[in-house]
């Protein structure tokens, strides 16, 4: 079965600094990978998804992620953090074992300091 | 187009009671998934329905059940509530529930069991 591991439950950056949120996947087949964001008191919304068309995936709000098969990683980055980026971020993978479902990582809460 | 709607937004129940949560997917979406979100466990997959059939089920006790109606609306039921069932329950919909589709989430139902 597929799974994802997010390194770091909390990440703190200064406004304007680089954002790097780490995600490693485990999959025996080429995976479909996703990053979702959850703002307080809301559901999750998709930032971007990897479907093998390109290894560098651009998403909304200036975020992007690079698929690296050799490292089994799919890290999320943004060149310059903004206060509005403070939220919880989830890496996810599609798992078709026994039927369709999306498996989420434990999440990384991003804090942005003024 | 209206988003995924979950009702009620908040619920307070006591141990031993049962509860029913409702989810209306985006119009045209036929797949509905349910997740339990807690601070300690993150997002845990409960089950997925497509065209009124449960296609996949997570590792939860039989007290957790669900169903889907012909209009794709879904309900989940938790019987004999326990304190540990306190969580945010999220519903997500997608067009056909395939592995490269993104999920559209509702804002969730916050259940507190006293």
């Amino acid at each position: 079965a597929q799974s994802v591991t997010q390194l770091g439950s909390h990440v703190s950056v200064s406004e304007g600094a680089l954002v790097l949120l780490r995600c490693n996947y485990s999959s025996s087949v080429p995976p479909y990978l996703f990053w979702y964001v959850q703002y307080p008191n809301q559901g999750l919304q998709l930032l971007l998804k990897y479907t093998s068309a390109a290894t560098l995936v651009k998403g909304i709000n200036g975020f992007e992620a690079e698929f690296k098969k050799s490292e089994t990683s799919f890290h999320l980055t943004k060149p310059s953090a903004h206060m509005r980026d403070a939220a919880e971020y989830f890496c996810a993978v599609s798992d078709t074992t026994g039927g369709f479902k999306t498996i989420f990582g434990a999440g990384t809460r991003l804090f942005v300091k003024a | 187009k209206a988003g995924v709607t979950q009702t009620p937004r908040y619920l307070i129940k006591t141990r031993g009671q049962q509860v029913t949560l409702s989810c209306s997917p985006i119009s045209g979406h036929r797949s509905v998934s349910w997740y339990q979100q807690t601070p300690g466990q993150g997002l845990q997959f409960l089950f997925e329905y497509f065209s009124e059939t449960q296609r996949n089920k997570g590792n939860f006790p039989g007290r957790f059940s669900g169903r889907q109606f012909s209009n794709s609306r879904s309900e989940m039921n938790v019987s004999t509530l326990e304190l540990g069932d306190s969580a945010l329950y999220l519903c997500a919909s997608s067009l056909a529930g395939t592995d490269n589709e993104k999920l559209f989430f509702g804002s969730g139902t916050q259940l507190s069991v006293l």
Side-chain angles (χ1 to χ4, degrees), chain B residues 3 6 12 15 38 43 46-47 50 56-57 62 67-68 72-73 83 85 88 95 106 110:
Chain B
Q6 292 189 245
I12 299 176
R15 279 181 299 175
T38 58
L43 280 99
L46 280 156
F47 25 66
F50 179 80
N56 205 351
K57 189 176 191 305
R67 59 178 175 170
Q68 187 180 34
S72 294
R73 189 178 70 86
L83 295 178
D85 297 333
L88 179 66
L95 274 169
Q110 183 68 54

Side-chain angles (χ1 to χ4, degrees), chain B residues 50-66:
Chain B
F50 179 80
S51 293
E52 303 179 67
T53 300
Q54 187 184 88
R55 295 195 299 187
N56 205 351
K57 189 176 191 305
N59 190 24
F60 278 82
R63 300 185 296 108
F64 292 81
S65 63

Side-chain angles (χ1 to χ4, degrees), chain B residues 61-112:
Chain B
R63 300 185 296 108
F64 292 81
S65 63
R67 59 178 175 170
Q68 187 180 34
F69 302 95
S70 58
N71 62 357
S72 294
R73 189 178 70 86
S74 178
E75 290 181 346
M76 68 162 282
N77 184 276
V78 188
S79 62
T80 320
L81 284 166
E82 301 178 358
L83 295 178
D85 297 333
S86 295
L88 179 66
Y89 289 87
L90 292 166
C91 162
S93 75
S94 66
L95 274 169
T98 58
D99 53 7
N100 65 342
E101 286 186 318
K102 73 175 186 180
L103 297 175
F104 292 82
F105 281 84
S107 296
T109 294
Q110 183 68 54
L111 173 64
S112 297

Side-chain angles (χ1 to χ4, degrees), chain A residues 32-81:
Chain A
Y32 291 111
L33 294 162
F34 308 81
W35 275 99
Y36 286 83
V37 61
Q38 185 178 33
Y39 298 101
N41 300 314
Q42 293 185 29
L44 283 71
Q45 58 182 275
L46 183 74
L47 277 175
L48 50 84
K49 70 175 182 179
Y50 168 75
T51 58
S52 77
T55 56
L56 184 62
V57 183
K58 294 189 183 297
I60 62 172
N61 302 339
F63 284 93
E64 62 183 36
E66 186 172 9
F67 175 76
K68 290 187 176 180
K69 185 177 179 180
S70 60
E71 299 177 8
T72 61
S73 69
F74 190 58
H75 302 331
L76 182 72
T77 60
K78 181 174 181 178
S80 177

